[in-house]
């Protein structure tokens, strides 16, 4: 998985680098750990935001947080900080000896969107995938167009479709990997 | 739905009143709105925490937040602040002319736990239910024992089972009400 802070759009559709949210790291790494993902890349090119990620993770992995809550520490060890999605892809290529297919998530439907059952089957058939979530108002159109696949949006049942990235990541992992 | 800050337990199993977390209100009301729940009760007996809830909700419902993000405002109108679960039950009894059955959630399995498909069917058959989530380390044993039903824990697929209440609420509503 990757949580992207650049390139994403703001509410006016402009490409920005968003700020890191502490609870995104906690919630998404705990969900990732529960569903057995291999790694959780946090992507930001901003030096101060990279420093913030390092501080949060080190507090829970080697600081006072370990004793306070070892289960949380266990989840946060999934986090790998990278300055771009390309760097995360390169990292996976080296580890897996195979480049990952990029599967982007988006709150809107795309021409090339694939459904949950389809992607669930693809995961079960093996292969290496990087599931990418955007912060702020979501991944840029350019990023979505360059992805190998775009996953269908999570729809509730009411036409209201404005979930936080934390909630969307939880629901999506449960749909893809839940028993 | 109800999000309970008292009675819940801390990491040592002692009954406490927990602090309100801003993002709990946002994330869970947005999930609730997406899946068409009727109301989202935030339960705390502490005056300062009640004041915090009022400030957050009024900022987004009648303050600067409405213009900044009307979709978020729409979700937060689901929130009703009550000092106890009993008061929420009384409120529902008056509105629905019928007391709700209490369905508690818990990260551990109970003797009386019911599964997601069972509860999904119950919801489709009609009836009035209050789905209760605990903050901190979860609802007290006394509360769980007095509930009409306890829902099975969300299990990922790896034996690690330490989700935030925000993630658990998202997954549970998707399982119960997702299409």
């Amino acid at each position: 998985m990757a949580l992207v802070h650049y390139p994403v759009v703001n509410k006016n559709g402009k490409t920005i680098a968003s700020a890191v949210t502490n609870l995104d790291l906690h919630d998404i790494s705990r969900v990732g750990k529960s569903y057995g993902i291999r790694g959780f890349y946090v992507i930001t090119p901003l030096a101060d935001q990279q420093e913030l990620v390092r501080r949060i993770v080190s507090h829970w992995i080697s600081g006072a947080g370990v004793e306070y809550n070892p289960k949380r520490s266990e989840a946060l060890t999934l986090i790998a900080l990278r300055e771009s999605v390309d760097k995360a892809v390169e990292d996976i290529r080296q580890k897996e000896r195979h480049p990952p297919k990029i599967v982007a998530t988006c709150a809107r439907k795309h021409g090339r969107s694939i459904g949950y059952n389809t992607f669930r089957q693809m995961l079960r058939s093996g292969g290496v995938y990087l599931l990418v979530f955007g912060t702020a108002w979501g991944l840029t159109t350019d990023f979505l167009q360059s992805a190998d696949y775009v996953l269908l949006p999570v729809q509730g049942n009411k036409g209201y479709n404005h979930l936080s990235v934390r909630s969307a990541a939880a629901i999506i992992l449960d749909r893809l990997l839940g028993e």
Side-chain angles (χ1 to χ4, degrees), chain A:
Chain A
M1 283 167 73
L3 181 70
V4 170
H5 299 83
Y6 177 87
V8 292
V9 294
N10 69 9
K11 62 179 289 207
N12 302 315
K14 197 180 151 209
T15 300
I16 55 158
S18 68
V20 168
T21 300
N22 180 28
L23 281 186
D24 286 358
L25 307 192
H26 282 274
D27 283 13
I28 300 176
S29 64
R30 288 159 76 183
V31 168
K33 186 77 187 168
S34 298
Y35 289 92
I37 66 152
R38 308 275 292 273
F40 174 28
Y41 291 92
V42 174
I43 309 294
T44 174
L46 302 180
D48 65 331
Q49 298 297 305
Q50 291 174 351
E51 183 51 32
L52 175 61
V53 174
R54 281 190 206 100
R55 276 219 314 277
I56 294 168
V57 172
S58 75
H59 171 80
W60 288 100
I61 287 185
S62 51
V66 184
E67 198 174 334
Y68 179 72
N69 192 338
K71 287 298 176 189
R72 203 167 284 200
S73 164
E74 216 178 295
L76 287 167
T77 56
L78 285 176
I79 291 180
L81 177 63
R82 291 294 180 276
E83 68 185 50
S84 66
V85 175
D86 284 350
K87 295 279 186 187
V89 166
E90 186 49 39
D91 193 50
I92 295 169
R93 184 205 305 269
Q94 285 185 11
K95 280 185 184 150
E96 307 286 341
R97 295 164 184 251
H98 206 284
K101 294 281 189 191
I102 305 282
V103 182
T105 60
C106 183
R108 293 171 306 282
K109 202 169 173 175
H110 278 254
R112 293 178 305 127
S113 293
I114 59 170
Y116 292 89
N117 283 336
T118 304
F119 188 33
R120 202 179 156 95
Q121 289 309 320
M122 287 158 57
L123 288 168
R124 290 190 171 191
S125 313
V128 182
Y129 297 96
L130 179 62
L131 180 63
V132 182
F133 295 91
T135 56
W137 267 251
L139 297 162
T140 60
T141 305
D142 281 355
F143 187 91
L144 293 170
Q145 282 173 349
S146 71
D148 295 295
Y149 304 96
V150 181
L151 201 54
L152 274 178
V154 171
Q155 302 279 10
N157 53 16
K158 293 291 163 187
Y160 179 96
N161 183 22
H162 304 274
L163 298 174
S164 71
V165 68
R166 296 171 292 281
S167 301
I171 292 168
I172 287 172
L173 255 57
D174 187 55
R175 289 187 180 185
L176 295 175
L177 300 166
E179 278 172 357

